Amino acid sequence: MPAVTTAPEDSAKFVKSVFWNILSVGVALAGGVLLSPYLIRKLGKEGYGVWALSFAVIEYYWLLDLGFRSATVKFVAHYWTLKESRKISEVVSTSLLYSSAAATLIIVSISLAAPWVQQMFQIPEAYQRIFVRLIVITSASWCISIVFGVFGAVLEAVQRFDLSMRPALAGTIIRTFGTFLLLYLNYGLIEIGLLAGLSQVVTFALQYRAFRGLFRDLPVSPGHASVPMIKQMMGFGIHTFAVNISQQFLTQSAPLLIGHFQQAVFVGFYALPVRLLQYTVEMVARIGTVTNSNAAALSARNDQRGLGELAIFSNRYCLTCFVPIAIFLGVYGPQLFDLWVGEEFAKNSAPILPVLLLGSMIAIVGQYSSTMLLQGLAKHQIYARGLILEAILGVITMWFVIPVYGLMGAAWVSSIFMIANRCLFISWLTSRMVGMSFGGFLSSVYASALLTAVPVLAAAWGLHSTILPGTSWAQLASAGLLIAAAYYALAYLFVLTSDHRSLVILWTRRLAVRLRLS
């Protein structure tokens, strides 16, 4: 394993970026946890299923991104490191020109096709017209995202996650509290769909303001876009596009196929644990998001040793952050769902949670940083092909499995394929990229984090069967805190390297000094 040579100031910058990413997703997670049972109660099972289905449909719009957002992050990070402001202007202007064209195409197409889309699913008659209007509204919100999200991508590329995530926090807070208020006043799907669009407007307006504060004199206009830059960004982005299209099929094919073969209410049963895992996984995988721009900067400096360290430790610490969550959900999942959303959702949703949790932890969390590293290095072509194959095989398998085995069958297909491809295959690719053996890379990422979890998992089952069965929120909170405290204490000793333990002590002392001074 390479020695850790990261400078303290670089590590501090990395941790600061990770902090803002995790805080943003953490607030979204808290809002989703609090809001989901209220949504189900106020909208009803069918209404919630229609809400989940509408978002499953619009997620496919990201296919039209063609990898331009990731290309924006890659090339802005590259030219920022080389201090070439003229090229940054060209990248941003070209990205805006393309995203505006894609947004126009979507809003025109969906306005005409929405009634036909509705006929593909088993939508209850009372919700059919609402579903059509909701698709148009959420599509308009997506169009705002793809155009003005360019400025957020630029902020991420220069590793100013504080400037990009503060507006995201503001949008999340507006959407969460606004939805509570609308539901309390007995408004329905259309109104909360409009609110979601409004929160997007606030987020991107604030991100644009932050962008202009950082790039005061940077010219951005169609006149600064160029055909050569379009070709350059598409050359990079086409492989990211293959990754995105595959991930959309992998994420959304199960809800759409469930909606095709079964009633819309079952989409809600499946979507709830998936959404819970998406929030919790994304919260820790934000470490990997920071890896993208860091990898691009290291590549620009030809720092091969730094890339090796980044590949190992970003993956390992993503996994370390997630393990206590996985232990808690694996042991207390049924009790959590019962208290959170009620008996019927617990009966249908809780059984598939451990299956989805297994794949999410091993594949998505454990190797998310690898995907970002490969993108940052523009070496993700083979991985993109692997995702395409996973998506094709997954959709074909689910087509036959869901009618027979229902939600559980969909969950097992999803987990098995993601472990095979997004854990084992990408680990092999990344190990080659950083000059390590396949077994050595897997061991460096997984061994210490998972072995440390064994005694904590055993203790959690002991708590569950004795003094903390999870029959109240107080018991669940106590169990969660005990699991986290026990695991992180052991992880400090057995997962962190000695250099990183020293950094933790250094940051703790600095924080204590700042608190005393304040």
Side-chain angles (χ1 to χ4, degrees):
M1 181 184 300
V4 180
T5 59
T6 309
E9 59 272 18
D10 291 337
S11 297
K13 184 178 181 181
F14 185 89
V15 171
K16 183 179 179 181
S17 297
V18 170
F19 167 78
W20 280 106
N21 274 276
I22 291 178
L23 179 62
S24 176
V25 181
V27 171
L29 171 61
V33 168
L34 295 173
L35 191 57
S36 292
Y38 199 52
L39 273 169
I40 294 169
R41 183 158 65 89
K42 298 292 286 188
L43 298 177
K45 294 177 296 183
E46 291 181 339
Y48 182 77
V50 169
W51 176 254
L53 186 59
S54 67
F55 279 93
V57 171
I58 68 166
E59 282 296 319
Y60 278 93
Y61 297 166
W62 284 109
L63 303 183
L64 283 180
D65 174 68
L66 293 183
F68 265 76
R69 192 185 193 284
S70 63
T72 301
V73 174
K74 158 68 178 175
F75 289 115
V76 169
H78 181 85
Y79 292 125
W80 174 267
T81 302
L82 300 178
K83 297 179 170 49
E84 296 185 21
S85 59
R86 184 184 64 82
K87 298 297 289 184
I88 294 175
S89 172
E90 189 178 350
V91 171
V92 177
S93 299
T94 301
S95 185
L96 277 172
L97 182 64
Y98 173 78
S99 60
S100 299
T104 302
L105 175 63
I106 278 292
I107 201 62
V108 171
S109 300
I110 201 62
S111 297
L112 299 174
W116 175 80
V117 173
Q118 181 267 133
Q119 296 175 14
M120 297 173 59
F121 307 106
Q122 297 185 36
I123 307 295
E125 185 176 354
Y127 286 95
Q128 290 178 1
R129 292 183 63 184
I130 293 175
F131 180 74
V132 171
R133 294 172 62 190
L134 189 60
I135 286 292
V136 175
I137 291 169
T138 50
S139 298
S141 177
W142 178 89
C143 291
I144 294 171
S145 299
I146 191 176
V147 176
F148 294 98
V150 170
F151 302 110
V154 174
L155 295 173
E156 291 177 18
V158 299
Q159 300 180 43
R160 290 305 305 269
F161 289 90
D162 54 332
L163 297 180
S164 65
M165 290 303 155
R166 287 172 188 167
L169 280 171
T172 298
I173 292 170
I174 290 171
R175 183 172 63 254
T176 301
F177 285 97
T179 301
F180 268 116
L181 180 60
L182 289 174
L183 291 172
Y184 177 77
L185 296 174
N186 294 318
Y187 287 99
L189 289 170
I190 300 301
E191 290 77 16
I192 60 177
L194 289 169
L195 176 67
L198 175 63
S199 68
Q200 294 272 53
V201 171
V202 172
T203 295
F204 295 122
L206 293 174
Q207 284 184 344
Y208 177 75
R209 181 183 178 186
F211 166 81
R212 272 302 169 203
L214 193 62
F215 296 91
R216 295 181 183 278
D217 302 319
L218 188 74
V220 177
S221 69
H224 289 87
S226 70
V227 173
M229 183 56 70
I230 289 178
K231 293 180 178 178
Q232 185 178 6
M233 294 179 76
M234 288 191 70
F236 172 87
I238 191 63
H239 303 294
T240 308
F241 166 71
V243 171
N244 290 342
I245 190 172
S246 302
Q247 288 178 336
Q248 292 304 327
F249 275 105
L250 290 166
T251 303
Q252 304 303 332
S253 58
L256 293 180
L257 288 172
I258 291 168
H260 177 75
F261 286 113
Q262 300 183 2
Q263 297 177 357
V265 65
F266 287 95
V267 179
F269 291 148
Y270 188 86
L272 191 66
V274 169
R275 185 65 59 88
L276 176 63
L277 286 176
Q278 283 177 339
Y279 278 130
T280 52
V281 166
E282 189 178 359
M283 186 166 61
V284 296
R286 286 288 177 164
I287 300 172
T289 302
V290 179
T291 302
N292 191 346
S293 52
N294 272 266
L298 289 169
S299 177
R301 294 196 294 264
N302 294 316
D303 188 351
Q304 186 67 25
R305 188 175 188 177
L307 286 171
E309 296 174 3
L310 188 64
I312 293 170
F313 293 112
S314 57
N315 279 319
R316 183 195 294 178
Y317 295 153
C318 273
L319 186 63
T320 302
C321 289
F322 187 75
V323 165
I325 300 173
I327 294 173
F328 175 77
L329 291 177
V331 175
Y332 287 95
Q335 290 74 33
L336 173 66
F337 274 88
D338 189 46
L339 291 172
W340 180 32
V341 289
E343 182 180 354
E344 187 169 5
F345 266 81
K347 179 181 176 181
N348 289 278
S349 298
I352 66 174
L353 179 62
V355 180
L356 295 169
L357 183 63
L358 177 65
S360 296
M361 180 179 69
I362 298 300
I364 300 179
V365 176
Q367 290 298 321
Y368 186 82
S369 292
S370 292
T371 67
M372 293 294 99
L373 184 138
L374 292 174
Q375 286 188 26
L377 297 176
K379 301 291 185 180
H380 55 300
Q381 300 92 329
I382 299 176
Y383 172 62
R385 294 167 192 159
L387 272 181
I388 292 173
L389 181 62
E390 181 189 349
I392 293 172
L393 294 176
V395 170
I396 293 173
T397 306
M398 284 189 186
W399 182 271
F400 294 101
V401 167
I402 289 176
V404 180
Y405 297 102
L407 304 185
M408 184 61 73
W412 272 114
V413 171
S414 177
S415 267
I416 290 171
F417 277 106
M418 74 170 69
I419 291 173
N421 182 48
R422 283 177 274 176
C423 171
L424 299 178
F425 182 59
I426 196 174
S427 294
W428 176 75
L429 286 177
T430 307
S431 65
R432 293 179 61 199
M433 196 62 56
V434 299
M436 289 186 67
S437 68
F438 174 57
F441 181 73
L442 281 177
S443 176
S444 297
V445 171
Y446 290 99
S448 59
L450 294 182
L451 287 174
T452 302
V454 174
V456 181
L457 178 61
W461 277 117
L463 286 174
H464 181 267
S465 59
T466 55
I467 60 174
L468 292 175
T471 55
S472 68
W473 284 111
Q475 289 190 13
L476 288 179
S478 299
L481 289 173
L482 288 172
I483 289 169
Y487 181 79
Y488 289 136
L490 292 174
Y492 177 81
L493 297 173
F494 299 112
V495 180
L496 271 66
T497 65
S498 59
D499 294 325
H500 290 166
R501 287 198 296 271
S502 299
L503 284 175
V504 170
I505 295 172
L506 176 63
W507 293 327
T508 303
R509 288 174 177 171
R510 287 178 178 175
L511 179 61
V513 170
R514 290 174 183 173
L515 291 174
R516 284 199 300 269
L517 292 176
S518 61

